Amino acid sequence: MKNMKKLVALMLVLAMILVGCSSEPAGGNEGTEAGGEQETFVIRAGIGLNDQHPQFKGLEVFKEYVERESDGRIEVQLFHSSQLGDDIQMMEALQLGSQEMTCPSTAPITSIDKRFMAFDLPFLFPTPEVADAILDGAIGQELLDGLQDHGLVGLAYWENGYRHLTNSKVAVSTPEDMSGLKIRTMENQVHLDFFRAMGAQPTPMPFGELFTAMQQGVVDGQENPVPTIYLQNFDEVQDYTTLTGHVYSPFVFMMSKIFYDRLPADLQQIVRDGALVARDEQRVINREYTEELTDGLRQKGMTVIELTPEQQQAFQAATSSTVEKFRDEIGAETVDRILAEIERLSN
Ligand code: KDG
């Protein structure tokens, strides 16, 4: 019996090695140029959210653009709902060259470059327009460029959006109401810190495990933007949404550097342009959905709590120590430049 198990395990490993060896040519990424034919490439782009989410709509725009502009030399295959793994696993696959594209929130990218923690600071961006200006400006670009040292090509910031709290226990309108609530957070030190500061018990976990964790009562709640709460049907396992808007969450649309370096220059440019075309449309769709679906949550039966300016202020006050705590770890220069830029753009 033991030997049988060993044999099966050995066969599985062999099968995986064989699949691994044959998948690239079959996927077309080795390309063909025989007989004057041009090289062809396959991009597998994976995300954690489902195919109803504006993030997936962004991927569809990208696919349409790249396949059209490359005249079929690039095929883009789309995978949603963590079919290819969670954010961290997919970034690792990009680094190894075994997957071509993904689009994580900035929060898990901090395991690769701590400067991205700057975007996780609570109550940082006052409006989406200020966020756009900083992300699409010099600072945002420097951070994207830095990913090249880690085997990733950061192409553009897309929008996840302002994150809000949901839970199954209590109608939260003050930080005190959060006392003892078990809240799933993204895998990110800044998020863990400010949820502790609000009095909650944060539990980091990948997005793909979240719904079941709420269903089984492993956590009482979570935090995500409105389109995610609505489109992932969190109302089935959560009763209350509090519009805390405690952090603005960007996505980074990125490519494996190993794969990018294999593309001819004209296709690299098409990929770069497509990422920006898709960014612009994705942000528009995300903002429309955010507006429409906030009321949709009420229609689905959730209690939606809008905070008064005083209540909002109480959440900000509770988390005000986070910036100082993380300034050096993130890099004081990065934090100060971002804060100065926000100040300039807000006046
Ligand atoms: O596709 C993106 C998701 O994997 C993830 O980043 C969504 O905001 C998210 C979360 O809470 O994990």
Side-chain angles (χ1 to χ4, degrees), residues 155-170:
L155 295 166
Y157 293 94
W158 292 7
E159 179 172 273
N160 196 353
Y162 284 100
R163 303 180 78 91
H164 305 291
L165 180 77
T166 70
N167 82 97
S168 58
K169 294 253 153 100
V170 54

Side-chain angles (χ1 to χ4, degrees), residues 108-300:
I109 303 175
T110 57
S111 61
I112 292 171
D113 182 344
K114 287 191 170 175
R115 289 179 302 166
F116 278 94
M117 287 201 286
F119 301 138
D120 295 304
L121 293 171
F123 303 102
L124 183 74
F125 291 132
T127 64
E129 291 71 29
V130 168
D132 291 352
I134 290 177
L135 296 168
D136 302 344
I139 304 171
Q141 190 58 47
E142 275 170 40
L143 267 66
L144 289 186
D145 291 345
L147 290 173
Q148 298 241 9
D149 299 338
H150 304 278
L152 302 167
V153 180
L155 295 166
Y157 293 94
W158 292 7
E159 179 172 273
N160 196 353
Y162 284 100
R163 303 180 78 91
H164 305 291
L165 180 77
T166 70
N167 82 97
S168 58
K169 294 253 153 100
V170 54
V172 171
S173 57
T174 68
E176 290 72 41
D177 296 332
M178 289 177 67
S179 175
L181 277 184
K182 284 179 271 159
I183 303 295
R184 174 270 176 176
T185 67
M186 293 189 284
E187 294 152 292
N188 176 287
Q189 291 306 320
V190 180
H191 284 235
L192 286 170
D193 181 78
F194 69 68
F195 270 97
R196 275 189 208 112
M198 289 184 203
Q201 282 179 31
T203 308
M205 95 181 39
F207 186 78
E209 293 170 24
L210 173 56
F211 192 90
T212 312
M214 292 190 288
Q215 200 168 39
Q216 297 181 344
V218 176
V219 291
D220 304 315
Q222 65 85 46
E223 44 83 58
N224 252 296
V226 166
T228 302
I229 300 170
Y230 185 97
L231 297 165
Q232 298 280 154
N233 298 321
F234 287 174
D235 56 285
E236 289 175 11
V237 286
Q238 301 278 274
D239 298 318
Y240 306 100
T241 298
T242 305
L243 298 174
T244 45
H246 50 273
V247 70
Y248 175 91
S249 199
F251 289 130
V252 173
F253 190 38
M254 57 171 72
M255 181 170 261
S256 158
K257 183 160 170 1
I258 294 176
F259 177 74
Y260 182 85
D261 288 345
R262 269 200 228 139
L263 290 175
D266 63 328
L267 294 186
Q268 287 180 344
Q269 193 55 49
I270 288 171
V271 162
R272 287 199 171 274
D273 293 344
L276 296 182
V277 168
R279 172 196 71 189
D280 293 345
E281 279 204 45
Q282 192 272 342
R283 282 180 182 163
V284 170
I285 300 168
N286 203 59
R287 285 166 200 177
E288 280 170 11
Y289 274 41
T290 301
E291 250 188 67
E292 285 165 22
L293 299 182
T294 307
D295 219 40
L297 290 176
R298 291 194 180 95
Q299 284 159 23
K300 278 184 158 200

